[in-house]
Amino acid sequence: MIDSISSCARATTAEEARYRIDRPIAGRSARIIALDASAAQVVLRVAELPWGASKFYSDATAFDIEADLADADVAIMIATAAADAETASSIARACGERGIMTAGLVLGDLADVGDAVSALRPYARNLMVTEDEDDVAAVLIALRA
Amino acid sequence: MLKTEVNELLTQTGPGTPAGNLFRQYWLPALHIEELPENDCPPVRVKILSERLIAFRDSEGRFGLMDEFCAHRGVSLWFGRVEEGGLRCAYHGWKYDVTGQCLEVPSEPENSNFCSKVQLTAYPLVKVGEILWTYMGDPANQPALPEFEFCDVPEEQTYTSKRWQESNWLQALEGGIDSSHVSWLHSGGLKSDPLFKGTKGNEYNLNDLRPFFEVAEADGGLFVGARRNAEDGKYYWRITPYVMPSFTIVPPRGDHPVHGHFWVPIDDENCWVYTFDYHPTRALTKDERQAMKDGYGVHSRNIPGTYRPQENKDVDYLMDREAQKRGETFSGVRGIAQQDASLQESMGPIVNREKERLVSSDTGIIKARQKLRKAVEALRDEGITPPGVDPAHQRVRSAAIVLPQAESFIDSARDAVAVQPGQAHVSV
């Protein structure tokens, strides 16, 4: 039988979308690490929301690279004006060795957080500078953390 | 991942919807000027934000955009006659001016003023650049006219095309914010397209397929920086501005013209894509303009007399598996525009974002959605005017620039991403 409707025309209708396979999607195991004291408060607040396999660290010195990165998919570093570049560097280096993606969120006005952005830039493959604390949760929800 | 209720909040733009109200705060492209080329030319059907409208150009050159259907019996005014300062319904001769005001009801007595009580919903329609723009919101809040640079340069320096995309506006816009797909989907075009090829920036693009991304707030939306390695420990940055609600500019390549898009919802399952190319300091060459007309660069090759691309879903986008195998095109679809559209339409009319699996390189998309959501809610709950309405927010440029590693792309490129009349764009 010759079908007069193209494959793409048939496949892209709303009706056909109903037949997409509905396989459960596993969440990402994220490590959310505060790099300074103000960021720690943010991390503590966000950690109170319901999350999956992700873990939150309000004190970067308590982050045990060997143990805490063992089953991680992504490390997200949170900073404000005073990010600790040395900590960011050691976490990012460890992530690089383990093939773990790194991301950074710097909270504050761009004019005020330049140092933190500079500290994170070499180490966070994806970096967001934002004045909106809600973006931390938005990123984590989007990543199914 | 985006929860269904947020997805619906952002993708539904009909009358009375929160995102529809957001779009109704802005001047939006409604038609290409070529659609109403002369006074008293035929009227044109237009659908924007799920409203059926008719556009016409009267005997005095005034542009009108109003309810498509005659107030009398609801017939389409597309069949009407544009004559003597108005649009006359073909059924019983009711005549309307560009404001939607009824001027004549021929069946009424000669001295009747009944027509003064008949008014169709109408919106302003104003030419800026090669586009006819409309504002569909509260007339009391009508903002100043748009000041995007591509509309502001002399006409010999700019070119705008238009195409129909069969998907919701948001998944189309997100393609413009997500530059990580360029090195894959459009890799063929970087080597061969006459409006892209032959630049140093292309080498950086193709030599580093794992860019770092940086997203920063802008007054009107965002700047998304994609960073790749360059020589001598420097970084090559491609900076994409996003101006709310749905405007992006692609970072330039060499001295090629700069291009970008404006996505306008037709309804919730279709959108118009207005695509422009302009050069801030010189006229487009004859060859460049012809290449744009032929569907190169980010323009489409449309079916003559329509805005439907030749590579559309009904012909499987003219998929060429041999070209795909040879590497001329990565996906087998010709042209940057339809490479994007084919994949975005394959998601379905409105993609279910609960089923997606975003990664951290999608940060630009995540932030853009968040900005849209916050703007929709702030307008709905507090009446706050959204970013991007102020023309000052629109006077931004994209840039491609090589910077020392220690420098912040947004600090060092602050001048490069602002419109500087008479100065060339910053490009590599």
Side-chain angles (χ1 to χ4, degrees):
Chain A
M1 187 179 111
I2 296 173
D3 192 342
S4 62
I5 301 175
S6 77
S7 163
C8 290
R10 193 172 52 246
T12 55
T13 63
E15 172 69 12
E16 278 299 309
R18 292 173 49 218
Y19 298 104
R20 293 191 175 202
I21 294 171
D22 194 12
R23 182 187 173 98
I25 302 171
R28 302 204 94 191
S29 183
R31 301 291 175 264
I32 300 93
I33 308 142
L35 294 183
D36 57 55
S38 297
Q41 298 306 309
V42 175
V43 168
L44 287 170
R45 282 193 288 274
V46 174
E48 289 178 7
L49 301 171
W51 301 106
S54 297
K55 295 175 183 169
F56 295 79
Y57 304 85
S58 58
D59 179 2
T61 60
F63 188 75
D64 182 333
I65 283 176
E66 286 300 326
D68 292 328
L69 285 181
D71 58 348
D73 297 317
V74 57
I76 301 174
M77 296 172 274
I78 313 291
T80 63
D84 179 349
E86 206 169 305
T87 304
S89 165
S90 61
I91 292 171
R93 199 166 46 245
C95 287
E97 290 164 0
R98 292 162 176 77
I100 297 169
M101 178 60 88
T102 52
L105 276 90
V106 181
L107 296 165
D109 187 298
L110 193 57
D112 302 328
V113 297
D115 289 346
V117 173
S118 297
L120 270 178
R121 178 171 293 116
Y123 310 115
R125 293 197 69 93
N126 304 285
L127 187 57
M128 182 194 292
V129 186
T130 176
E131 297 174 47
D132 187 351
E133 183 182 316
D134 290 348
D135 285 344
V136 178
V139 167
L140 296 177
I141 290 168
L143 298 181
R144 300 173 182 274
Chain B
M1 193 270 278
L2 201 62
K3 290 179 180 168
T4 296
E5 59 267 29
V6 182
N7 200 32
E8 291 175 351
L9 181 80
L10 300 183
T11 55
Q12 296 175 358
T13 58
T17 60
N21 291 340
L22 181 88
F23 269 96
R24 286 167 174 81
Q25 303 299 303
Y26 299 89
W27 284 97
L28 302 173
L31 296 102
H32 193 291
I33 187 62
E34 69 189 6
E35 295 178 78
L36 293 174
E38 58 192 16
N39 297 353
D40 289 339
C41 60
V44 179
R45 280 188 172 115
V46 183
K47 185 159 72 165
I48 310 173
L49 305 181
S50 300
E51 293 189 41
R52 291 275 299 271
L53 304 164
I54 193 90
F56 68 105
R57 180 170 178 171
D58 75 6
S59 314
E60 307 297 320
R62 292 171 297 204
F63 297 104
L65 182 66
M66 63 190 187
D67 188 342
E68 181 190 334
F69 301 100
C70 181
H72 179 208
R73 298 286 308 284
V75 306
S76 174
L77 292 166
W78 182 80
F79 295 93
R81 299 163 58 93
V82 184
E83 56 181 30
E84 296 169 355
L87 175 58
R88 190 182 294 281
C89 179
Y91 208 4
H92 302 92
W94 292 32
K95 184 177 175 183
Y96 302 90
D97 71 11
V98 293
T99 70
Q101 177 63 52
C102 186
L103 302 174
E104 292 178 32
V105 177
S107 59
E108 293 290 302
E110 209 165 308
N111 58 349
S112 164
N113 69 348
F114 172 69
C115 66
S116 68
K117 298 172 183 169
V118 179
Q119 169 84 48
L120 294 177
T121 295
Y123 304 113
L125 190 64
V126 179
K127 179 180 180 296
V128 181
E130 295 184 310
I131 291 176
L132 293 170
W133 302 74
T134 190
Y135 169 74
M136 296 169 67
D138 180 351
N141 296 329
Q142 182 175 309
L145 288 170
E147 294 187 13
F148 297 100
E149 189 178 30
F150 79 97
C151 288
D152 213 23
V153 294
E155 65 180 36
E156 64 271 19
Q157 293 174 215
T158 189
Y159 175 84
T160 301
S161 66
K162 175 179 175 179
R163 67 177 166 86
W164 170 28
Q165 179 159 334
E166 297 172 69
S167 77
N168 183 264
W169 74 278
L170 185 58
Q171 61 211 56
L173 163 73
E174 288 173 351
I177 293 171
D178 154 36
S179 66
S180 66
H181 75 279
V182 173
S183 301
W184 297 96
L185 179 60
H186 306 316
S187 54
L190 291 183
K191 297 170 201 159
S192 61
D193 191 289
L195 296 169
F196 285 178
K197 68 181 182 181
T199 73
K200 182 71 180 166
N202 295 353
E203 292 176 24
Y204 297 132
N205 254 102
L206 294 170
N207 289 338
D208 187 350
L209 299 180
R210 297 185 192 281
F212 282 53
F213 292 98
E214 199 163 318
V215 182
E217 307 248 17
D219 291 338
L222 299 174
F223 286 115
V224 180
R227 168 189 121 198
R228 293 174 170 84
N229 291 319
E231 305 87 351
D232 305 324
K234 292 181 177 173
Y235 290 140
Y236 168 66
W237 286 93
R238 293 182 60 74
I239 305 168
T240 302
Y242 159 53
V243 180
M244 291 178 64
S246 56
F247 175 84
T248 65
I249 314 176
V250 180
R253 296 185 183 280
D255 190 48
H256 288 305
V258 189
H259 38 259
H261 308 282
F262 211 128
W263 292 269
V264 183
I266 297 173
D267 52 33
D268 292 343
E269 298 188 353
N270 297 273
C271 62
W272 292 122
V273 187
Y274 288 84
T275 297
F276 60 84
D277 250 295
Y278 77 103
H279 198 291
T281 57
R282 66 162 172 83
L284 305 180
T285 68
K286 188 178 166 193
D287 286 347
E288 286 170 342
R289 198 172 282 276
Q290 189 60 50
M292 293 164 199
K293 288 179 181 170
D294 291 341
Y296 288 99
V298 290
H299 300 275
S300 57
R301 185 172 63 168
N302 293 339
I303 296 169
T306 78
Y307 289 113
R308 192 172 203 213
Q310 293 182 29
E311 298 83 5
N312 63 65
K313 63 161 69 171
D314 286 342
V315 292
D316 283 339
Y317 304 96
L318 303 177
M319 166 63 76
D320 184 344
R321 295 290 184 193
E322 289 304 313
Q324 185 180 33
K325 194 178 279 185
R326 288 193 300 270
E328 289 171 21
T329 58
F330 194 72
S331 73
V333 175
R334 176 200 176 276
I336 305 277
Q338 290 312 95
Q339 287 163 6
D340 284 327
S342 56
L343 299 189
Q344 291 157 7
E345 290 175 5
S346 79
M347 296 169 167
I350 307 174
V351 68
N352 180 355
R353 291 177 172 81
E354 283 229 20
K355 300 294 179 192
E356 66 189 5
R357 192 184 287 228
L358 295 188
V359 292
S360 57
S361 57
D362 294 313
T363 306
I365 290 175
I366 296 168
K367 179 62 180 168
R369 291 177 185 173
Q370 183 77 343
K371 290 219 48 139
L372 281 164
R373 177 187 177 178
K374 292 262 174 165
V376 166
E377 291 173 344
L379 175 67
R380 181 192 63 193
D381 300 338
E382 302 168 68
I384 294 174
T385 300
V389 170
D390 183 343
H393 297 174
Q394 302 159 4
R395 300 189 66 76
V396 292
R397 284 181 174 176
S398 60
I401 189 168
V402 174
L403 294 172
Q405 287 190 356
E407 291 188 19
S408 158
F409 87 91
I410 201 66
D411 283 342
S412 298
R414 197 169 292 280
D415 289 341
V417 296
V419 170
Q420 313 270 351
Q423 286 188 31
H425 50 288
V426 174
S427 183
V428 178

